[in-house]
Amino acid sequence: MSAEKKQEKDFTSEVDAILPEAENLVKAGQLQAGLDKLFALEKQTRNAADVKSTTRLVTAIAQHTWDAKDLALLNSSISLLSKKHGQLKATVQALVELAMTWLDEIKETYGVEKWLELVETLRTVTEGKIYLETPRARVTSALSKYHEGLASSSKDPDAAKASIETASELLSDLQVETYSSMDRREKTEFILEQMRLLIAVAQRKDSDYEKSGSKTGSNGEAEWIRVRVGGRKVNEGFLTDEKNEDIKLKYYDLMIQHALHESAYLDATKYYYKIWETPSVKEDKKGKGMVTLEHIVCYIILAPHTNEQSDMLHHLHIDAELSKHPQHYELIKSFVKRELMRWPGVVELYGEFLKSTPVFKVKKHWDDLHSRVTEHNVRVISQYYSRITLPRITTLLDLSPEETEKTLSRLVVSGSIWARIDRLSGIVNFKPKRTADDIMNDWSSDMQKLLGLAEKTWMGMNAAQAAHSRALATAS
């Protein structure tokens, strides 16, 4: 399409005259004759760069074909008019927006096949045109929903999988974050839809991969990566606005699904915290608020120990809202205190309660909880023992010797503790061997403290003697 040029002539009077003539011809059953008149003048107005007149003529042509219910002619007219040499951008935009208003009626009245024909026509017309990126995105979104509907209604698993993948690909091809003409909220909604469909595809692929005994095909890892990338496109600051609360909840729900797929329990906890801070959720203390707090408790204790996890755990422990839920409070308290938690005791006290929650109905989560309890116990033991025998620590951890060694090795590699296992003597050392420099540094530090105390004492004695001497002088 050539660049826009300056208007050379105003055809308003000619258009005002020809529109009624064409309308009369159409009403008389001479549709083609009426359209020919409009096409002839449209060429002149287009060459003269009269945007207003060209737009009136083009929309009139489309309207007449629509009123005549000649959908084939409508599609060909839209395609033809948009490809005209030197066609004006505003004219094509008006034509596309007008045609989009008829999509719903065509689908309801003439069926999906005719609807798809117009959708494809509009997608072809808008392809590669920056000024039509928003209409193209909206039409593509409607087409994506159609394919998603096919996936949900199809009884053939392969056909359903193909349809949901098509729906996801259609939306994922749209780089809406770069669209300057699209509203910020609409952009965010598009990105969330992209993420939702990618998750649906990824979950299907993961399920098929797990069911395949020979592990043929591929899992949904590529889609999960794209979900993470999509999540970074959303400005979380924009979601804090009260008007955007619905998309905020949807966004964090999608991010939680991604975090749980990666077993990133700490990230899941952060996302649930964001949901919990939402006023409508926090006020619903017996509904969403209670469920969200329960998930926060479950995932914070499932998260591996780090400085950030420990900080969040202690802040949650002193939260007044948590104290209103005794079982959740006692569970968090057990992880905060520097005391051993024997696994059989944890199962007895909290097993029934935890397994009734959606989180711990997943076997992997229950196994991970066992690991977190064991890791907590190892950290407690390392704080109270400098050396301990393997049989003793195995008893305290309620594990087999092999599992004990694996747990210790894992914590040493992660940097949570320092330990060395002497298999020959069967002893675990939790304190590193001190070098001569370490001993001298400690001695130097202790001497400085001792000299400081001596100086402080001497100054205090001098002050007392001076006060005593003044008292004697006054008395005499």
Side-chain angles (χ1 to χ4, degrees), residues 81 175 248 316 364 397 443 458:
L81 288 167
Q175 305 299 322
K248 173 186 176 180
L316 181 61
K364 183 181 184 301
L397 297 178
W443 179 83
W458 176 75

Side-chain angles (χ1 to χ4, degrees), residues 201-418:
V201 172
Q203 289 174 341
R204 278 180 180 267
K205 285 188 176 182
D206 288 342
S207 177
D208 292 343
Y209 187 74
E210 290 297 325
K211 290 177 182 177
S212 175
S214 58
K215 299 293 183 183
T216 57
S218 61
N219 58 14
E221 193 58 35
E223 282 72 22
W224 287 115
I225 292 173
R226 293 170 73 183
V227 171
R228 182 171 71 246
V229 173
R232 292 173 181 168
K233 295 177 183 177
V234 176
N235 186 343
E236 294 188 44
F238 174 69
L239 301 180
T240 57
D241 192 329
E242 189 176 346
K243 297 177 182 178
N244 301 322
E245 187 175 299
D246 56 332
I247 57 175
K248 173 186 176 180
L249 296 177
K250 184 177 180 180
Y251 168 72
Y252 286 117
D253 178 62
L254 295 171
M255 293 306 295
I256 286 167
Q257 292 182 57
H258 174 265
L260 294 182
H261 169 75
E262 302 290 335
S263 295
Y265 299 123
L266 187 60
D267 288 341
T269 305
K270 293 177 187 177
Y271 299 141
Y272 271 114
Y273 252 116
K274 294 289 187 180
I275 293 175
W276 195 40
E277 290 170 354
T278 306
S280 64
V281 174
K282 206 159 191 176
E283 290 169 5
D284 188 8
K285 296 182 179 180
K286 292 184 179 180
K288 291 182 180 179
M290 174 65 184
V291 172
T292 304
L293 180 60
E294 184 178 87
H295 281 82
I296 291 172
V297 170
C298 292
Y299 288 120
I300 192 63
I301 63 176
L302 281 175
H305 178 79
T306 60
N307 290 336
E308 187 178 11
Q309 185 267 354
S310 179
D311 182 64
M312 291 182 69
L313 190 69
H314 282 76
H315 276 86
L316 181 61
H317 176 242
I318 61 175
D319 195 299
E321 193 64 34
L322 183 66
S323 60
K324 299 176 183 178
H325 309 282
Q327 285 183 301
H328 297 88
Y329 176 79
E330 290 299 325
L331 181 60
I332 292 295
K333 184 179 178 182
S334 299
F335 279 90
V336 170
K337 292 192 301 183
R338 293 184 179 180
E339 296 180 4
L340 289 176
M341 292 193 296
R342 304 294 291 271
W343 178 246
V346 172
V347 173
E348 183 180 349
L349 287 173
Y350 304 108
E352 185 179 351
F353 156 65
L354 290 175
K355 287 187 175 180
S356 66
T357 64
V359 176
F360 289 104
K361 287 180 180 178
V362 180
K363 185 179 183 300
K364 183 181 184 301
H365 293 170
W366 185 253
D367 293 339
D368 287 342
L369 176 63
H370 188 187
S371 299
R372 298 296 93 82
V373 170
T374 302
E375 291 166 5
H376 169 82
N377 289 338
V378 172
R379 288 193 298 273
V380 171
I381 291 170
S382 69
Q383 291 171 352
Y384 288 103
Y385 288 84
S386 58
R387 301 174 67 198
I388 188 172
T389 63
L390 269 172
R392 177 60 177 157
I393 192 174
T394 299
T395 303
L396 292 175
L397 297 178
D398 299 296
L399 296 175
S400 66
E402 293 78 11
E403 291 173 330
T404 300
E405 287 192 17
K406 285 182 180 178
T407 302
L408 288 169
S409 300
R410 186 173 68 249
L411 291 176
V412 169
V413 170
S414 67
S416 297
I417 62 168
W418 189 97

Side-chain angles (χ1 to χ4, degrees), residues 123-133 136:
R123 277 173 48 80
T124 302
V125 168
T126 56
E127 186 176 6
K129 297 181 176 69
I130 295 176
Y131 63 95
L132 292 175
E133 58 191 9
R136 177 178 176 79

Side-chain angles (χ1 to χ4, degrees), residues 173-186:
D173 287 341
L174 301 172
Q175 305 299 322
V176 292
E177 65 275 7
T178 65
Y179 291 1
S180 59
S181 59
M182 185 178 286
D183 178 72
R184 194 175 183 184
R185 179 184 170 91
E186 190 176 4

